[in-house]
Amino acid sequence: MGEGEQIKDYTKFWKEHFDHNAQKYNSMLKQVDMTINGQDVPEDQVKLRVESIIRNLNLNQSDEIIDLCCGNGLLTKRISYFVKKIYAFDFSGKLIEVAMKESSAPNILYFVKDVTDIDFLSFKSVTKINFYSCIQYINIEKFNKLLTNLAKMEKVTMYVSNVPDKHKIWDYYDTPEKKEFYLQSIKKNQPHIGTWYEKDELKELAKINGFNIEFLEIEKERNTSYYRFDFLVYK
């Protein structure tokens, strides 16, 4: 394994982290770690994220979609105005409680469930899936499990966004202090960002599971563009 590589399953850690966030913060942005240096991202950053989902999934009013790792519904609610129906999933029961209270809409159904354990065949009218800024909270093995489950669908496109690029990890932890902070967080089993991915390993998983994959450049205006990437998997 190379420096900074992670293979552990931190699902329990992240579930507890977001349950805690949901109870600790009143800010919807802080609850889902949509922050810059601990402060809420500006509204224009939220709009950029919503626009990227609508654009890359080519959403329209006839679409029924699945929103994986929906958190407190911050983005789910905004997307709901552009589609017919959304089935939204997250493993944090506390965040789902917030979502049902603060981000409800007639066309959204929220579920507490690990996204790698969904029976996608139960959603026969769905052909588009949003997986926004959450792949980092599972490891490569669990992402393979998600793809294996998803591969049972006859036709589907999934937009996976804000993927931490393993080749740019030290662009993010760009000082000796930040690098040491990262390495210590791994030793303590308290990962700071989560799993960092390589494009080649994702390309291989897509191929194994019968998907095409297209890597996308993040718009430079998005605050995460210097160390993350987006991609589509589809068939």
Side-chain angles (χ1 to χ4, degrees), residues 5-151:
E5 187 171 353
Q6 301 170 63
I7 59 171
K8 292 183 179 179
D9 179 7
Y10 287 107
T11 301
K12 183 175 183 291
F13 169 84
W14 286 115
K15 181 182 181 302
E16 292 175 351
H17 170 80
F18 287 111
D19 280 346
H20 177 72
N21 277 8
Q23 296 172 299
K24 179 179 180 181
Y25 299 116
N26 291 323
S27 163
M28 297 278 284
L29 292 161
K30 284 188 175 71
Q31 288 176 0
V32 294
D33 286 349
M34 202 177 294
T35 58
I36 302 174
N37 296 322
Q39 300 302 311
D40 293 357
V41 298
E43 175 62 21
D44 67 315
Q45 289 294 321
V46 180
K47 289 181 178 178
L48 280 171
R49 286 156 169 77
V50 173
E51 290 167 0
S52 71
I53 295 167
I54 295 167
R55 180 180 65 255
N56 287 303
L57 281 175
N58 191 26
L59 296 181
N60 61 70
Q61 292 290 340
S62 65
D63 284 329
E64 294 189 19
I65 74 168
I66 289 175
D67 190 18
L68 298 178
C69 206
C70 65
N72 59 17
L74 176 70
L75 299 181
T76 315
K77 177 71 175 289
R78 297 183 184 222
I79 300 166
S80 70
Y81 298 109
F82 299 90
V83 299
K84 181 179 179 181
K85 194 166 189 175
I86 301 181
Y87 304 95
F89 296 84
D90 201 278
F91 62 5
S92 169
K94 297 299 182 183
L95 284 180
I96 291 294
E97 286 178 13
V98 176
M100 294 177 72
K101 182 180 179 181
E102 304 293 342
S103 303
S104 63
N107 62 338
I108 303 175
L109 289 175
Y110 287 108
F111 303 89
V112 180
K113 197 171 186 66
D114 188 312
V115 299
T116 63
D117 291 326
I118 296 171
D119 177 12
F120 291 104
L121 289 179
S122 299
F123 303 93
K124 298 185 184 301
S125 56
V126 170
T127 59
K128 298 176 182 180
I129 295 177
N130 179 48
F131 192 24
Y132 201 94
S133 199
C134 289
I135 190 175
Q136 66 203 55
Y137 304 128
I138 59 177
N139 62 14
I140 191 72
E141 293 175 352
K142 294 202 77 169
F143 184 63
N144 182 50
K145 181 182 178 184
L146 191 159
L147 287 182
T148 300
N149 291 339
L150 199 62

Side-chain angles (χ1 to χ4, degrees), residues 140 143-144 147-148 151 158 199-215 231-235:
I140 191 72
F143 184 63
N144 182 50
L147 287 182
T148 300
M158 181 167 67
K199 291 181 179 179
D200 284 347
E201 65 185 356
L202 292 168
K203 189 185 299 183
E204 183 64 21
L205 283 189
K207 181 180 179 182
I208 290 171
N209 286 286
F211 287 98
N212 298 302
I213 189 167
E214 178 184 351
F215 293 104
F231 67 92
L232 295 170
V233 288
Y234 59 94
K235 66 173 185 173

Side-chain angles (χ1 to χ4, degrees), residues 8 10 13-14 183-192:
K8 292 183 179 179
Y10 287 107
F13 169 84
W14 286 115
L183 295 175
Q184 287 300 319
S185 74
I186 298 304
K187 289 180 180 178
K188 294 176 182 178
N189 288 321
Q190 297 176 342
H192 176 233

